[in-house]
Amino acid sequence: MKRVLVCGAGGFIGHHLVSHLKSLGYWVRGVDLKHPEFEASQADDFIIGDLRLLDVVQQVINSGGIIDEIFQLAADMGGAGYIFTGDHDSNVMHNSGMINLNIIDEATKANVKKIFYSSSACIYPEYNQLDPDNPKCSEDSAYPAAPDSEYGWEKLFSERLYLAYHRNHNIPVRIARFHNIYGPLGTWQGGREKAPAAICRKVAEADDGGTIDVWGDGQQTRSFLYIDACIDSVMRLMNSDLIGPYNIGSDEMVTINQLVETAANVANKSIRINHIDGPLGVRGRNSDNELILKDLGWAPNFPLHDGINHTYHWIQSQINNH
Ligand code: NAD
């Protein structure tokens, strides 16, 4: 039985990943500052611990027998309201940097067989994402680097950190750049929620014919990948010989106004939009999936409407239970 460690197992993607790994029969240890918010983890061993601390990282990798593989998803992060205001920059850089510096070094010392690192589309240069209809996010367009947030700079640094350990110490690494992953069991209120969850919540709370606030003019473009498709591609990348970085995202690009329309459609409500000032991020972004399709044979197969349908109804049930 494979023994794996999921760092960030109390978070959105980490929690879904633990459930998936358990369904495959793996032995799973999860570690996080907190338990998953909305349902219990199925991890065989769940450690509450701070991965900025070296002794915690040593303990989760080395205690109780060999860990074969690590999935590193822990990060200090949130949606645009957390990442783009600038108020959390030093925390984001320090906390996530410490986590990655500790984990890759200890994983190397422990001869872990493989490690997955979750980078982000936020590493891509702002200068290629000014035109909402034509953003460029192919893997080879990352340099000359110019991310528009410190979150993106830390991710880029850590990608390079994992690649350097691979070059100098031969530890097998797998790197993905996630593009806006969403779905049920994700944060949907409180300030760290991302656009799909925030918009589903606002639509769910609005009356039919009502108005919701949206940051910016709503013409900024993005793509959104449903969680099941994300987990599928992470597993395929991990089980391949490929290193990356690879984009893991959807190429079904929509404007934020269209995202609102999709949620309103699912809710069967007519919704008006009130555009207000807010933190926005780049003007346009879409996942470029050419490379991952060519190398791994993977393409997303989950339409936005279906994913928003699942997410909306889950958030609606959360609101009803409050
Ligand atoms: P999340 O915030 O739900 O999960 C991250 C988890 O890391 C949280 O549970 C948090 O408590 C934990 N964590 C933070 N600091 C820690 C510490 N010091 N010690 C232990 N645990 C700590 O985020 P997510 O959406 O599940 O994202 C997972 C990974 O994927 C992150 O690295 C994120 O940057 C990356 N990513 C996510 C998206 C997305 O759309 N969700 C997009 C790009 C990249």
Side-chain angles (χ1 to χ4, degrees):
M1 198 196 311
K2 222 181 245 182
R3 292 169 54 88
V4 301
L5 172 66
V6 178
C7 301
F12 168 54
I13 303 174
H15 174 62
H16 279 276
L17 183 63
V18 168
S19 305
H20 183 72
L21 292 166
K22 283 308 300 168
S23 76
L24 297 176
Y26 288 42
W27 185 91
V28 182
R29 170 175 292 151
V31 56
D32 202 299
L33 292 170
K34 59 178 178 69
H35 287 284
E37 208 176 330
F38 305 107
E39 66 177 24
S41 177
Q42 292 176 40
D44 298 276
D45 185 21
F46 196 103
I47 295 176
I48 294 290
D50 186 338
L51 293 164
R52 291 171 301 182
L53 307 176
L54 187 57
D55 59 337
V56 171
V57 175
Q58 287 168 337
Q59 181 207 345
V60 296
I61 294 180
N62 297 314
S63 69
I66 291 168
I67 290 289
D68 297 304
E69 295 179 358
I70 298 177
F71 294 85
Q72 189 339 53
L73 297 131
D76 189 0
M77 62 102 62
Y82 189 75
I83 295 297
F84 296 122
T85 56
D87 296 343
H88 309 282
D89 285 351
S90 57
N91 278 344
V92 165
M93 297 189 88
H94 177 266
N95 295 342
S96 298
M98 288 299 287
I99 293 170
N100 287 311
L101 287 162
N102 283 335
I103 290 177
I104 187 60
D105 196 50
E106 289 306 315
T108 302
K109 286 180 187 153
N111 287 320
V112 166
K113 295 194 188 89
K114 221 184 271 180
I115 182 161
F116 172 86
Y117 173 59
S118 50
S119 180
S120 167
C122 289
I123 64 99
Y124 286 113
E126 188 174 20
Y127 58 76
N128 280 334
Q129 301 173 84
L130 300 174
D131 176 359
D133 298 323
N134 203 14
K136 181 172 179 187
C137 292
S138 54
E139 284 83 347
D140 62 2
S141 69
Y143 297 95
D148 69 331
S149 66
E150 302 301 358
Y151 169 76
W153 278 106
E154 188 283 324
K155 288 287 187 194
L156 202 56
F157 164 76
S158 289
E159 281 188 4
R160 300 185 69 96
L161 175 73
Y162 282 80
L163 290 170
Y165 270 78
H166 171 63
R167 276 197 314 278
N168 293 164
H169 304 285
N170 281 327
I171 179 166
V173 300
R174 304 286 179 267
I175 302 174
R177 294 174 179 158
F178 291 154
H179 290 240
N180 295 319
I181 316 301
Y182 75 101
L185 308 179
T187 303
W188 57 277
Q189 61 174 356
R192 285 190 187 231
E193 67 277 19
K194 316 263 181 49
I199 284 171
C200 285
R201 185 197 69 233
K202 289 176 185 181
V203 170
E205 286 173 344
D207 295 329
D208 188 13
T211 303
I212 67 166
D213 288 342
V214 167
W215 291 341
D217 64 6
Q219 299 298 334
Q220 64 272 36
T221 52
R222 292 293 185 276
S223 69
F224 302 95
L225 183 71
Y226 191 64
I227 182 68
D228 292 5
C230 170
I231 300 293
D232 174 48
S233 59
V234 168
M235 294 307 295
R236 287 190 198 209
L237 180 58
M238 194 62 163
N239 293 330
S240 76
D241 293 330
L242 304 168
I243 294 170
Y246 285 100
N247 288 330
I248 289 187
S250 162
D251 48 11
E252 186 184 345
M253 187 171 82
V254 292
T255 64
I256 297 302
N257 290 337
Q258 286 168 328
L259 181 65
V260 175
E261 252 171 56
T262 307
N265 189 274
V266 159
N268 207 9
K269 289 181 185 177
S270 145
I271 295 289
R272 277 192 300 245
I273 302 176
N274 179 34
H275 298 285
I276 58 168
D277 282 347
L280 294 176
V282 292
R283 191 68 185 144
R285 175 171 291 158
N286 193 16
S287 184
D288 183 324
N289 290 345
E290 205 174 303
L291 190 65
I292 195 165
L293 179 63
K294 178 165 82 61
D295 290 0
L296 195 62
W298 181 83
N301 61 354
F302 212 99
L304 180 67
H305 183 276
D306 297 359
I308 290 295
N309 191 22
H310 289 304
T311 310
Y312 178 84
H313 287 106
W314 178 76
I315 290 175
Q316 173 85 72
S317 71
Q318 292 295 306
I319 293 170
N320 292 346
N321 293 337
H322 256 62

